[in-house]
Amino acid sequence: LQGGRPGLLAVIPLTLVTLLMSHLRVVVTDDAVHVQYGLWGPTIAVENITRCEVQRYEAMRFGGWGFKRSLDGTVAYSVPGGEGECVALEITEGAKVRKVVITTPNAAGVALAIEEARARKLGSRVRVDADEASEASEVTDEAAAAGEQQQRRRG
C-alpha cells in the first residue's frame, strides 16, 4: 500500500465503530426492557426491576459516555446529548442486586412505560407523578409510545 491508503484503512473500522456506538435504543415490552447500545445490550425482565426512577446522568461518575461502570458497580449505557437525564434501575435476580442507568431524551416517559409494564406483569397499581404523566403524554420516544399502545389495547 502506498500513500494515504494505510491511514484510510484505519479510518474505516474506526468510523464503523463510532456509528455503531453512537445510537442507544430502549424498548419496553410487557416482559422486558431491551437496551441496545450499538449491537449489544441487556434484556432486563420487568419482574426483576425493584426500583425505577429518573435521575440526572453524572458523566464524571462514570468517566463520560458509552458503556461504563462506576466504582460502586453501577453499569451505564449512555450517549451524549439531551438534558442529561437517565433512567436508574435496581435489578434483583435472586440474591444478586445490580444497578443500571440508561440515558434517554425522555427519561420520564421511559420510566413511566417501565412502571406500567411492571404493574401489568406484577398485578399492582402504579402511582404516577402528575408532572411525569403530562410529560409522558407528549412522548415521541419509541419505548413510551409502545407502552402506551399496549395499554390502550388492554384498556
Side-chain angles (χ1 to χ4, degrees):
L1 296 173
Q2 296 178 353
R5 287 196 176 156
L8 180 62
L9 291 177
V11 169
I12 291 172
L14 188 58
T15 302
L16 288 173
V17 168
T18 301
L19 289 173
L20 284 174
M21 303 309 278
S22 66
H23 185 72
L24 178 65
R25 182 176 178 179
V26 181
V27 177
V28 180
T29 66
D30 281 347
D31 297 317
V33 177
H34 305 273
V35 180
Q36 188 175 4
Y37 185 61
L39 299 175
W40 304 273
T43 297
I44 304 164
V46 294
E47 65 264 16
N48 293 340
I49 298 172
T50 52
R51 177 182 235 169
C52 174
E53 62 186 30
V54 176
Q55 295 178 348
R56 189 135 191 86
Y57 180 71
E58 301 170 21
M60 295 306 291
R61 175 180 170 205
F62 295 97
W65 289 271
F67 173 69
K68 302 288 186 172
R69 185 179 302 269
S70 72
L71 294 175
D72 70 358
T74 302
V75 175
Y77 296 91
S78 62
V79 291
E83 296 178 12
E85 288 189 329
C86 66
V87 176
L89 302 175
E90 184 177 88
I91 303 149
T92 303
E93 295 166 332
K96 183 179 176 184
V97 177
R98 61 188 175 111
K99 295 179 182 178
V100 174
V101 298
I102 307 159
T103 62
T104 177
N106 187 358
V110 172
L112 180 61
I114 291 169
E115 288 297 341
E116 289 175 343
R118 287 180 65 214
R120 286 190 296 274
K121 188 73 170 183
L122 303 174
S124 61
R125 302 293 272 159
V126 176
R127 198 176 115 195
V128 178
D129 185 307
D131 290 335
E132 288 180 7
S134 66
E135 286 180 34
S137 67
E138 301 169 6
V139 170
T140 58
D141 190 293
E142 294 173 87
E148 288 175 8
Q149 281 182 337
Q150 290 173 356
Q151 179 66 20
R152 276 189 236 121
R153 278 187 242 138
R154 293 173 187 260

